[in-house]
Amino acid sequence: MINVTLRQMRYFEALAQHRHFGRAAETCAVSQPALSVQIKELEEVLGVQLVERGARQVRLTSFGEDLAVRVRGILRSVDELGELARASREGLAGRLRIGVIPTIAPYLLPSIVGTLTRQYPEADIRVRETVTPKLLEELGEGRLDTAIVALPVSEPAFEEVPLFSEDFVLVRPGEDTGKPVPGPEGLREMRLLLLEEGHCFRDQALSFCNMQSAAPRELLDGSSLSTLVQMVSAGIGVTLIPEMAVPVETRSAVVSVARFRDPQPARTIGMIWRRSNPLARQLMQVAGVVRQAADALRASYSPMT
């Protein structure tokens, strides 16, 4: 009988994810030597090498790659046992792993996490901020319980719960205050600053402008909304940002903010989770907290032209 422990499987899953002993150990909250010992013991129990240990990177062997898939499924099933137990309780307790896209996280997370902590003191809130494709992958693999994203994601395996809609606004250099607001056609003639590839907000902005692609001189990429707004402040171009980002991102930038004419570009924000997740009832409670936080944030917006 092969005696493989859950600890060994969790350490191996972290190593398979990060391909780095130090980052895997940090994820598991253990020392690197402790994780290395467990991986070595796992190899000895199975009688086969799982990883190729390089100076800078760890590579899984062919068997290691196959094992990683199996281990991920086993750990997902084990986690679902805990979810079933938590689902039997009235409130929210235990670990809750929430994913959030970067164009939402800085503006809503402080309120969301603060409210959840106060209302559910037994909950251990873990937050993961990354782009939508990565969130969908981690949600499907059971590494996240839920994610706050722009809808729709159109994945049959996920439940989608719309929470609120918000408009996009135009950010221009400060000297453009009072100038007519361009429509999609006008934006196509301007130097448009957008988030880099992988961000759903980039695709939404391009869709509004009826642009699938553009020459490098016409589109400049940024890694964050903050970077884009500062580039606009420097006179490099114009950009679109979601309305919730305005109070934070324009505080220290000499820019003007204006609404588009109707129909205004907008997005729908919602929560998603696996349809098989037994915590659906508790996640609906979390969705209510997110909706309330968004309502409070929108109520604090300053009027814009």
Side-chain angles (χ1 to χ4, degrees):
M1 179 178 177
I2 297 179
N3 186 19
V4 176
T5 67
L6 280 175
R7 175 183 297 176
Q8 290 169 342
M9 286 191 287
R10 291 199 184 278
Y11 289 3
F12 177 67
E13 198 275 337
L15 185 60
Q17 176 186 351
H18 294 285
R19 308 297 170 112
H20 188 279
F21 276 95
R23 287 192 291 271
E26 184 178 348
T27 299
C28 297
V30 297
S31 67
Q32 184 172 328
L35 184 135
S36 298
V37 167
Q38 290 295 320
I39 297 299
K40 188 64 177 176
E41 289 182 359
L42 179 60
E43 290 179 319
E44 292 173 355
V45 167
L46 295 174
V48 64
Q49 185 176 350
L50 300 176
V51 298
E52 299 176 17
R53 296 163 173 82
R56 296 184 177 180
Q57 188 179 23
V58 172
R59 293 182 176 86
L60 299 188
T61 63
S62 177
F63 181 81
E65 293 284 2
D66 292 339
L67 182 65
V69 176
R70 298 293 184 91
V71 164
R72 193 171 297 122
I74 292 170
L75 293 177
R76 187 188 310 170
S77 296
V78 171
D79 289 341
E80 285 177 354
L81 292 177
E83 291 170 356
L84 283 169
R86 285 188 289 162
S88 66
R89 305 176 188 175
E90 286 301 318
L92 189 64
R95 184 180 59 182
L96 179 65
R97 301 161 300 178
I98 304 175
V100 191
I101 57 177
T103 55
I104 294 176
Y107 321 112
L108 276 184
L109 269 185
S111 177
I112 293 170
V113 174
T115 302
L116 289 175
T117 301
R118 289 192 301 272
Q119 292 187 3
Y120 307 102
E122 296 183 3
D124 177 17
I125 309 298
R126 308 284 182 90
V127 175
R128 165 83 161 127
E129 178 187 342
T130 188
V131 294
T132 300
K134 192 65 176 175
L135 291 179
L136 298 183
E137 175 187 338
E138 296 182 10
L139 190 61
E141 292 176 352
R143 286 186 271 154
L144 291 174
D145 297 305
T146 185
I148 304 171
V149 297
L151 299 181
V153 296
S154 302
E155 289 283 348
F158 298 149
E159 184 74 28
E160 297 186 12
V161 178
L163 298 178
F164 62 93
S165 294
E166 67 167 344
D167 296 331
F168 302 163
V169 296
L170 176 65
V171 181
R172 300 182 288 183
E175 59 266 24
D176 288 352
T177 300
K179 290 184 179 180
V181 179
E185 300 80 7
L187 285 176
R188 290 199 295 270
E189 303 301 321
M190 306 175 77
R191 176 164 285 182
L192 186 60
L193 312 180
L194 297 174
L195 292 174
E196 58 195 2
E197 293 283 353
H199 291 268
C200 60
F201 189 76
R202 172 191 177 92
D203 299 330
Q204 293 159 352
L206 286 173
S207 176
F208 171 67
C209 299
N210 295 319
M211 298 167 63
Q212 296 302 316
S213 61
R217 68 177 183 83
E218 295 170 326
L219 284 179
L220 296 178
D221 295 344
S223 60
S224 68
L225 295 180
S226 178
T227 298
L228 296 182
V229 172
Q230 293 301 323
M231 291 168 71
V232 172
S233 181
I236 295 175
V238 303
T239 192
L240 279 66
I241 66 173
E243 194 174 19
M244 72 168 67
V246 170
V248 172
E249 303 301 352
T250 63
R251 273 185 313 212
S252 60
V254 183
V255 296
S256 64
V257 180
R259 296 188 184 277
F260 291 98
R261 296 184 294 272
D262 291 332
Q264 298 185 50
R267 66 177 180 177
T268 298
I269 300 301
M271 274 179 54
I272 59 174
W273 56 80
R274 297 182 304 281
R275 292 186 184 275
S276 60
N277 194 328
L279 290 173
R281 180 166 54 87
Q282 285 86 346
L283 292 176
M284 285 298 296
Q285 297 173 358
V286 175
V289 170
V290 176
R291 185 181 288 112
Q292 291 172 5
D295 289 344
L297 184 61
R298 287 201 301 275
S300 68
Y301 292 156
S302 299
M304 290 179 292
T305 57

